[in-house]
Amino acid sequence: MAAVWPITSALEHEAGPVAYVFESIDLAPLPGFEGSPMNFLIAIDHNGQFMAVELLQQHEPVFTFRDLGGLGDTMLREFIAQYAGKRINQPFMIVLDAARNQTGKNNSSGGYALLDGISKATTSVRIVNQTVLTAALAVARARLGFADHRQQGPSGKPRTEMIGHPDFARMLELGMIGHLRYSNADV
């Protein structure tokens, strides 16, 4: 695995690593809107909770080019600071005004981890989130035993010998496709 630095405690040497620190670019070099990957320094504890995420490098136009209406990287730094205290295995949701959002309650029963998004930077924020989570999950799988980290095989393929090649009429007859109409009240 790429460079992942274990953090140990002087008080609990026998406990092993209490946290891990790594750069996202080593594990999830996802290209940003501009084309090059952003890089974050990420720290997670031995329970899979984010301790901190810090910006190391980015070239996103929405954050860099002030003369073209860029926001500056302060908002990006504030966005990534929201990961601290959230668990890797929670579903993450990016919303605007998370603090005022009623669904923003982060309960202990596996509730959503809400992140307050950045207006005018939707694509970049999604790339940031995907980068941070992909890198953190790779470390969690390899070092914390979060899931089986064996290589995945090829994606599944339909077994045509089981269903053949039905035409449209046959698919309607089998109930594989259909026409549904719902009113707004039904939905």
Side-chain angles (χ1 to χ4, degrees):
M1 170 164 257
V4 176
W5 299 282
I7 307 298
T8 57
S9 169
L11 301 175
E12 300 178 32
H13 270 289
E14 67 282 346
V18 295
Y20 293 93
V21 177
F22 48 94
E23 291 186 39
S24 65
I25 201 163
D26 294 331
L27 300 161
L30 304 173
F33 189 77
E34 173 268 339
S36 64
M38 291 178 259
N39 193 15
F40 303 98
L41 186 66
I42 303 169
I44 58 172
D45 70 13
H46 65 282
N47 294 317
Q49 184 169 314
F50 285 100
M51 297 170 69
V53 177
E54 296 293 332
L55 176 64
L56 295 178
Q57 179 181 2
Q58 65 88 19
H59 300 287
E60 293 297 283
V62 71
F63 299 121
T64 50
F65 299 115
R66 283 195 174 274
D67 55 337
L68 298 176
L71 303 170
D73 68 2
T74 302
M75 294 179 88
L76 176 58
R77 290 178 189 279
E78 290 171 356
F79 175 78
I80 61 175
Q82 296 177 85
Y83 285 94
K86 295 185 173 47
R87 295 185 51 81
I88 294 170
N89 58 356
Q90 289 180 287
F92 279 72
M93 183 182 295
I94 300 169
V95 297
L96 291 179
D97 297 323
R100 292 187 299 160
N101 189 324
Q102 292 301 316
T103 62
K105 295 177 183 148
N106 194 0
N107 62 36
S108 59
S109 63
Y112 286 97
L114 288 181
L115 301 175
D116 199 0
I118 303 171
S119 183
K120 299 181 184 178
T122 306
T123 301
S124 295
V125 164
R126 287 184 182 191
I127 294 165
V128 167
N129 188 56
Q130 192 64 42
T131 298
V132 169
L133 293 180
T134 300
L137 284 170
V139 172
R141 287 182 181 116
R143 303 291 174 100
L144 303 177
F146 264 51
D148 189 1
H149 60 278
R150 290 179 290 159
Q151 288 287 49
Q152 298 283 345
S155 60
K157 296 180 182 174
R159 294 178 56 187
T160 55
E161 71 274 7
M162 300 296 286
I163 60 170
H165 295 283
D167 61 7
F168 188 78
R170 179 73 177 138
M171 287 191 280
L172 275 172
E173 180 183 314
L174 293 172
M176 296 169 77
I177 58 174
H179 180 77
L180 300 173
R181 184 174 295 186
Y182 292 103
S183 69
N184 283 342
D186 292 336
V187 173

